[in-house]
Amino acid sequence: MPPSTQPPDYGAMPSATKTDWSPRPRATFAEHGLGASLEEIARRAGVRVGTLYHHFGSRVGLIDAALTDRVEASSRLAEQALDCADPWQGLVEHLTAIARWQAEDRGFTEVCVHAFADDLAIEKAKARGHELTKQLVDRAHRAGVLRPDVGLTDLGLLVWAVVRATNGVRTIEPDAWRRHLAILLNGLRPEAAHELPGSPLDPDHVRVAMAYPGS
């Protein structure tokens, strides 16, 4: 009997477009991080793993489809912070909002600390957010309210560290990160400054070091 010439049946997506379907894997990534089981994502969506690969190509493609709008929303937070007349308050509000999202969403947290291929929508959205946050930092420096030896890469890694450090107590105190973030931010005021060892990390070097596997 000759082999079948019919294309494999991957099954249909549960909605008309990838974008419409993105909240489903996004919830799993939020709970388990970017390494979430594709089998679990498929099970929750009522499709097969082969369907995911057929429509998204790879795990990275699925991440790109599922989380780009979340990153774009974080950029809008930075735009709102730039509208704040007080440079320090605007910076604090933005960093606090990002920390809150990281505390609630493991997938978003891991997207923040990994780099993806430049041509992916998620990396383009991250670049936009990076530029807006840099404007917040530069404005705070010009106003003299942020110590001059602290840069954007410092802030990104420090906020992430605060969220990660309080992860173990989140079940008993979900907002523990708020106190530790406030302690951190108070230490970034110029009047609290003491000489620091080294210099801020180069953003390009950080991006290479944190490249997401397969992107």
Side-chain angles (χ1 to χ4, degrees):
M1 186 175 187
S4 172
T5 58
Q6 292 297 317
D9 179 11
Y10 293 105
M13 292 295 286
S15 64
T17 68
K18 295 178 182 180
T19 302
D20 292 340
W21 189 67
S22 64
R24 305 183 186 202
R26 187 188 309 135
T28 311
F29 285 136
E31 184 178 349
H32 299 288
L34 300 185
S37 163
L38 294 183
E39 288 77 8
E40 176 64 11
I41 291 173
R43 184 190 67 78
R44 292 186 181 187
V47 299
R48 294 177 239 171
V49 172
T51 304
L52 299 181
Y53 280 108
H54 177 64
H55 288 277
F56 299 102
S58 66
R59 177 182 293 272
V60 171
L62 178 58
I63 291 168
D64 188 46
L67 295 175
T68 294
D69 63 343
R70 184 70 157 158
V71 177
E72 291 172 343
S74 72
S75 295
R76 291 193 289 273
L77 293 177
E79 291 173 341
Q80 293 170 13
L82 283 167
D83 288 336
C84 180
D86 185 320
W88 175 253
Q89 189 60 34
L91 179 63
V92 168
E93 287 180 0
H94 181 59
L95 295 179
T96 301
I98 293 299
R100 183 180 70 251
W101 282 20
Q102 290 188 359
E104 297 170 349
D105 187 334
R106 282 186 59 187
F108 176 73
T109 302
E110 293 175 17
V111 163
C112 288
V113 296
H114 283 106
F116 298 86
D118 289 338
D119 60 342
L120 290 179
I122 198 166
E123 193 62 27
K124 292 175 182 177
K126 285 182 62 183
R128 172 64 176 159
H130 183 279
E131 176 55 34
L132 291 168
T133 306
K134 184 176 185 299
Q135 291 178 33
L136 285 167
V137 172
D138 290 346
R139 186 176 70 156
H141 279 149
R142 289 193 302 270
V145 295
L146 175 66
R147 53 187 297 169
D149 55 350
V150 170
L152 179 58
T153 51
D154 292 319
L155 292 174
L157 290 171
L158 287 169
V159 170
W160 174 67
V162 165
V163 174
R164 285 295 301 270
T166 56
N167 184 57
V169 298
R170 199 154 295 145
T171 55
I172 60 172
E173 187 54 63
D175 290 336
W177 62 269
R178 290 184 179 275
R179 173 179 171 82
H180 295 85
L181 181 64
I183 294 170
L184 166 68
L185 293 174
N186 284 339
L188 297 179
R189 294 275 203 166
E191 56 268 26
H194 296 278
E195 186 175 356
L196 296 173
S199 57
L201 295 172
D202 183 287
D204 291 334
H205 294 169
V206 173
R207 187 174 185 280
V208 170
M210 293 187 167
Y212 189 78
S215 66

